[in-house]
Amino acid sequence: MSLDDLRSELGRPRPDFTPSMARVTYWLSEHLIETAWLTLDDVAVSAGVSPASVVRACQLLGYEGYSHFQRTVRDGLPGSDLVNKLTRLANETDSAKGKRRSPVDRVLTAERENLERLAPLIGETLGKVADVLLHASRIGVVSALSSATLGQSLAAHLAFVLDNVSFFESGSAAGWMFYRDLGPEDVVLALCFPRYAKATLDMVRQVRGKTPHVVLITDPVGPHGPKTQLRLRVPISGDLFSAGPPMAVVTQMLVHELLDRDANRILMHLKMTEEALAQAGILQQGPSPTMTGSSLFRVVRGGR
């Protein structure tokens, strides 16, 4: 059963359930991905019921208990069992040649297929995200766990072309200080994949009360909630840590969307950023740096 099917099943009305069990099924449907890592006691406390109620609800849903339900969720996650995934990939053979495929072939094939799914998924949403960013007073990129490096990369690229972009690790003191000072014109970009961090989703729930401009970046089977203004679904192949390549492509696409919508602002900010880095000795420019000859400026400008 897919996670979407499981979520639909949990949301089906069950008049024969007691209020406690109905509360369990509602909580599970709203936090389905999180149950892959939460203990029975965690779920009981969060749902406000006893552990026995959680077990009983799972049994009435057709499972042996909470552990059986949890395994079903884990089986539906992309790349959720890295050890088994690695073993399967290592033993994968080319049926035509009867020999093991090389790591290079496996990875390139998976990522090529993955990137082909990217454009249909993001569609026009990428342009809407760019418009929101261009009108933001401040932009905060938040993520955690293995998504943290993706968030840091996205924030670093956006900082080259926009003002007031910062990265915060979800659940950190700096992240909550950003939340404390959040205004209605600020934008929050939250990355929550390929591991779905509870801290990130909790922060998304909180910031929605201060700004309507919240963008959740996840994958096609990622968290169903909380609701946000915009959501980018980025595909992953499910092979180990396969979130980096598509996210790098999304970052480049977003920079070009920003350039298309406000070329003068983006190019001038990029020029000033490059000059500041050169003056600080961080970036080495050519012998005759000019507005059209500088390296970063020329690359993003793309011959315009």
Side-chain angles (χ1 to χ4, degrees):
M1 179 183 293
S2 70
L3 293 183
D4 285 339
D5 291 339
L6 180 54
R7 190 176 285 113
S8 298
E9 180 67 15
L10 289 169
R12 185 167 60 84
R14 299 178 184 276
D16 55 328
F17 272 31
T18 65
S20 293
M21 293 176 186
R23 192 154 56 243
V24 171
T25 55
Y26 175 78
W27 191 93
L28 291 175
S29 68
E30 291 294 307
H31 306 83
L32 186 58
I33 303 300
E34 297 170 44
T35 61
W37 295 277
L38 295 178
T39 65
L40 172 61
D41 289 339
D42 290 335
V43 174
V45 170
S46 299
V49 299
S50 67
S53 293
V54 176
V55 173
R56 181 59 179 155
C58 290
Q59 291 174 337
L60 290 177
L61 289 169
Y63 300 91
E64 296 174 5
Y66 174 70
S67 296
H68 185 197
F69 176 84
Q70 187 180 56
R71 286 196 302 273
T72 302
V73 175
R74 287 177 176 173
D75 289 342
L77 294 177
S80 58
D81 187 343
L82 295 183
V83 176
N84 289 340
K85 183 73 69 175
L86 182 59
T87 301
R88 179 181 63 78
L89 290 173
N91 294 324
E92 188 178 31
T93 58
D94 187 327
S95 58
K97 299 180 180 179
K99 65 179 182 179
R100 184 178 297 176
R101 294 174 60 193
S102 73
V104 173
D105 289 339
R106 292 199 302 267
V107 172
L108 289 179
T109 298
E111 293 306 337
R112 187 179 299 112
E113 294 173 352
N114 203 21
L115 292 176
E116 289 174 353
R117 297 194 292 267
L118 183 58
L121 274 176
I122 61 177
E124 298 179 356
T125 307
L126 197 70
K128 296 177 182 178
V129 173
D131 286 336
V132 168
L133 295 178
L134 286 170
H135 293 89
S137 295
R138 295 186 307 158
I139 300 169
V141 181
V142 299
S143 57
L145 300 179
S146 57
S147 302
T149 54
L150 302 178
Q152 290 170 332
S153 176
L154 175 60
H157 282 81
L158 290 179
F160 275 117
V161 296
L162 291 172
D163 299 299
N164 302 320
V165 181
S166 302
F167 170 79
F168 303 101
E169 189 155 355
S170 310
S172 67
W176 286 111
M177 287 176 68
F178 172 74
Y179 163 75
R180 179 195 64 188
D181 301 328
L182 198 64
E185 300 304 317
D186 296 331
V187 173
V188 175
L189 279 169
L191 281 81
C192 197
F193 80 104
R195 296 291 176 263
Y196 312 109
K198 183 176 183 298
T200 301
L201 297 177
D202 285 346
M203 183 162 280
V204 169
R205 294 185 182 95
Q206 293 294 325
V207 300
R208 290 181 309 165
K210 289 196 170 186
T211 176
H213 309 303
V214 183
V215 181
L216 179 61
I217 303 177
T218 185
D219 55 57
V221 300
H224 183 66
K227 292 182 179 180
T228 57
Q229 178 188 25
L230 293 169
R231 185 170 303 212
L232 280 179
R233 296 286 191 181
V234 180
I236 60 174
S237 66
D239 292 347
L240 302 176
F241 306 105
S242 189
M247 194 59 216
V249 173
V250 169
T251 299
Q252 295 297 320
M253 288 180 174
L254 186 54
V255 168
H256 282 277
E257 285 284 351
L258 292 167
L259 184 64
D260 286 342
R261 283 162 169 72
D262 198 341
N264 185 61
R265 172 184 168 186
I266 300 303
L267 294 176
M268 291 306 298
H269 182 71
L270 184 62
K271 178 176 180 291
M272 290 187 293
T273 301
E274 184 176 17
E275 290 174 348
L277 292 175
Q279 290 173 6
I282 298 172
L283 177 69
Q284 181 175 345
Q285 294 183 313
S288 302
T290 63
M291 183 172 179
T292 57
S294 59
S295 57
L296 291 174
F297 188 82
R298 185 174 64 254
V299 169
V300 176
R301 190 168 185 265
R304 291 175 184 275

